[in-house]
Amino acid sequence: MKNRILYIFFIGFLSLLTSCGTSKSKKHTPDLTGLNDTKPVVTKLSDSIFIAGKNSLLKNKQGLWELYVEGDPLEIGLSTGALTDSLLHKQQRIFFSKITDLIPSKFQQRLLRNFLKWYNRKLYLNVPDEYQTEIYGVSQYTSNEFDNIAPQFQRSLYLHAAHDIGHALQDLALVGCSSFAAWNEKSEDGNLILARNFDFYVNDAFAENKIAAFIKPKEGFPFMMVTWPGMIGAVSGMNLEGLTVTINASKSKIPLSAKTPISILTREILQHAKNLDEAIALAKKRKVFVSESIMVGSASDNKAILIEVSPDKMDVYDVPNSDQLICSNHFQGEVFQNDKRNLEQIANSHSKYRYERMQELLSENPKVNPKIASKILRNKEGLKNISLGYGNEKALNQLLAHHGIIFKPKEKLVWVSANPFQLGEFVCFDLNSIFGENRNVAKSFQKENLNIAKDPFLETTAFQNFKKFKIENHKIDSLLEKKETISPEFLQNYQALNPNYWVVYYKTGLYFYQEKEFLQAKLNFEKALSHEITTVPDKEKIEKYLKKVKRKLK
C-alpha cells in the first residue's frame, strides 16, 4: 500500500510540471445543438418504482434495479440521471470514499487530482459524441459535493476511465474475470450460450445498487447491460440482434495519456453491431489504453470470439475446431503469443489456473445449459475439486463478483445474478418482450418461471463464517500496520473462520515475525505454503520470510 501511495505521489508531482494542455479538456462540453435538454419529470409511485414518461426505474423483489430508457443520447442521459439521481449520489460517495481510504493524505489527493486532469487531457477526443452527450445528461444529476475533483461533466467522463486508469497505472487488473461460451455439440440445444463472472470489486457497498439497464436508442439496436449508477459504458450486455459483449482485463503497459475507455468501445459494439464482423470492424476504429479481451457472442454466427486489444495491437482469436471458448485474464491469439507482459501474466498470476478450472468443469458437463452455467460460475473449488479457502482468487467464484451473467443470444434471454455476488437468484429477462409494445413499466420485467434459484451455499455456516472472516481480515490488516498486540484468541478465531485459505496463516505468521516469535512465525508460514497460494509472487514472498525466520532460529 505504501509503495502504491508513493507511486501516485511521484506521478502526481510530475503532473504538476506538465500541466499544460489541460485547459481545453477542462472547459469542454459536448455540442447539444438541436437536442431537447428539458429535464424529465419523475413520478414516484412507491419507494421502489419511478416513472418518467415511457421511462422507468424499478427495484424488483430480488433487489436488482431495472432501468428502462429510450430516445436520443441526451434524452437517454437525462432520463437515466433523473430516475437514478439518489443512487447516483450514493455511488459517487462510495467510490470517492474508497479513494480517500487508499490515499488519506490531502496533499497526495490533490496531486492525484492534478495528475488525472493531465492524464485525461485527451479523453474527450477519444469518446464518441453520442456517449459524451449521454454522459453529460447523466452528469446533470450528480452531486456538487465533489466539484473540487472536477466539474460534473468532466468528473463523470473521468469515472468512465477509472477502470482503465487503475489498470494501466497500477497494473491492478481489478477485473479478474472468468468467462466461457459453448455452442453446437457443446450446448444442450446446439444454440450459443455464454456466461461470465464480473469480478470487479471496490467494496461490498459498491455492488449494492446494481442495475439491469434496458436501453432503446434512436440510432442503433436496443440492448441491455448490467451496470451501476452513473456508468453508461458496457461491461456485460446483449442487444436485440443477439450480440453479446463481456470484458476481461489483461496485462498492460503504462500509456502516456488516456484513449478510448474499454467500456465505451464495448458499449459502441453492443449498440451498433449485429454480428461478429461488425464488432471486429468497430474495434479496429478505436485506440484503447489498456489490454483487454472482449468476448463477443453472436446469435447469427452461433459462436463466440475474442477480440484481444492493447494500446499497440489487436488480434481476433477464433478458437479452431472447437464448440467452446474460455477466457480468463491472458491473451490466447498468435499476435500476443510472445508478448512479454502476457507471458508474465500466464506465469505469475491466477489467470491460467482459472482457465484450466473452466476447462475441467466444462469437460465434466458435456452439454451446457443455463443451470449448469450458473453452477460453473458459482464454483468455489480448485483443480480436481481441492479446497482453496473462501475468497481465493484462483476460484471461479471468488466471493467478490459485482455480478454473474448468462446469455442465450438466439432466444434473447439473459440471466443476471442478484446479490450477494453471483450467489443470489439468477433473474431471467426476455429482450423480445421488454422491447415489445406490451411492456408494463410499473412491473418487473423478469420471467419468474425461468429464474435460477439462489445458491444453497448462502444458507450454510461456511458462508456466515466467510462474512465474519472479511471483517476480521480488515481488522488484522489494521493491527499489523499499527504493530499492535493481537490476542491468541483473535488469531485462533481468525484462522478457524477460513481454515483452508493460505492468507490466514500468512498474516498470522507476519504478526509473529513482527513480535520476534520466530518459531510460531515459521510454523504459520509453513502452514500457509501447504495451501494453494494465489500467485507466484505471493508464494515467493512467503518463502523469503520463511528463509529469514530459519536464519533467525539458528
Side-chain angles (χ1 to χ4, degrees), residues 103-119:
I103 310 166
S105 162
K106 297 284 186 187
F107 179 58
Q108 290 180 3
Q109 288 173 22
R110 190 166 68 251
L111 291 178
L112 178 60
R113 285 198 298 272
N114 285 331
F115 166 68
L116 288 174
K117 288 171 188 174
W118 176 79
Y119 193 81

Side-chain angles (χ1 to χ4, degrees), residues 386-389 392 394 494-495 498-512 519-546 549:
I386 66 165
S387 180
L388 296 171
N392 194 320
K394 280 189 167 177
Y494 172 61
Q495 292 184 346
N498 204 353
N500 294 310
Y501 192 24
W502 66 274
V503 166
V504 298
Y505 306 106
Y506 168 61
K507 290 183 179 179
T508 302
L510 278 183
Y511 172 70
F512 285 122
L519 180 59
Q520 285 299 317
K522 174 178 176 289
L523 292 172
N524 278 282
F525 287 140
E526 285 174 342
K527 196 158 187 182
L529 288 169
S530 72
H531 291 79
E532 194 67 44
I533 311 291
T534 304
T535 66
V536 170
D538 285 331
K539 187 174 183 182
E540 289 173 347
K541 184 165 56 179
I542 300 170
E543 288 170 342
K544 281 181 184 176
Y545 270 113
L546 193 55
V549 165

Side-chain angles (χ1 to χ4, degrees), residues 389-390 461-473 489-501 504-505:
Y390 298 119
T461 302
F463 180 65
Q464 298 308 314
N465 284 344
F466 174 73
K467 290 197 291 185
K468 293 173 188 173
F469 158 77
K470 286 174 72 175
I471 296 167
E472 301 302 277
N473 202 39
E489 292 78 18
F490 178 94
L491 293 172
Q492 187 177 1
N493 178 60
Y494 172 61
Q495 292 184 346
L497 290 171
N498 204 353
N500 294 310
Y501 192 24
V504 298
Y505 306 106

Side-chain angles (χ1 to χ4, degrees), residues 361 365 370-380 406 426:
L361 291 170
N365 294 279
K371 283 187 179 178
I372 289 170
S374 72
K375 285 182 179 178
I376 294 173
L377 294 181
R378 289 167 168 172
N379 188 274
K380 295 168 285 297
I406 302 163
F426 270 88

Side-chain angles (χ1 to χ4, degrees), residues 117-228:
K117 288 171 188 174
W118 176 79
Y119 193 81
N120 284 314
R121 68 197 182 280
K122 294 182 180 178
L123 184 60
Y124 74 100
L125 298 172
N126 290 277
V127 175
D129 291 343
E130 64 178 316
Y131 302 126
Q132 287 194 46
T133 303
E134 189 175 328
I135 291 168
Y136 177 85
V138 174
S139 74
Q140 300 311 292
Y141 293 88
T142 58
S143 170
N144 295 115
E145 187 180 342
F146 304 104
D147 285 355
N148 63 317
I149 295 169
Q152 287 173 305
F153 169 65
Q154 277 75 18
R155 188 170 74 241
S156 297
L157 191 62
Y158 293 170
L159 283 173
H160 283 80
H163 155 68
D164 307 67
I165 291 168
H167 181 181
L169 294 185
Q170 300 297 337
D171 209 9
L172 293 176
L174 286 172
V175 188
C177 307
S178 304
S179 55
F180 60 90
W183 59 92
N184 291 343
E185 293 301 315
K186 192 64 191 174
S187 77
E188 189 175 70
D189 57 7
N191 294 334
L192 176 65
I193 180 171
L194 306 96
R196 72 87 58 89
N197 283 332
F198 185 62
D199 292 323
F200 179 79
Y201 186 78
V202 175
N203 53 32
D204 286 352
F206 188 84
E208 280 177 8
N209 291 308
K210 56 188 171 193
I211 298 171
F214 303 91
I215 301 172
K216 190 176 183 179
K218 268 194 174 170
E219 294 185 10
F221 305 110
F223 64 93
M224 74 77 59
M225 62 183 184
V226 181
T227 185
W228 51 89

Side-chain angles (χ1 to χ4, degrees), residues 16-55:
L16 289 176
L17 304 178
T18 51
S19 60
C20 60
T22 63
S23 59
K24 281 187 179 179
S25 66
K26 284 191 285 187
K27 295 173 184 174
H28 173 79
T29 55
D31 183 6
L32 306 180
T33 305
L35 297 174
N36 179 8
D37 61 358
T38 305
K39 291 195 173 182
V41 176
V42 176
T43 302
K44 181 180 178 180
L45 300 185
S46 72
D47 288 341
S48 60
I49 304 175
F50 305 86
I51 307 291
K54 293 181 179 179
N55 305 312

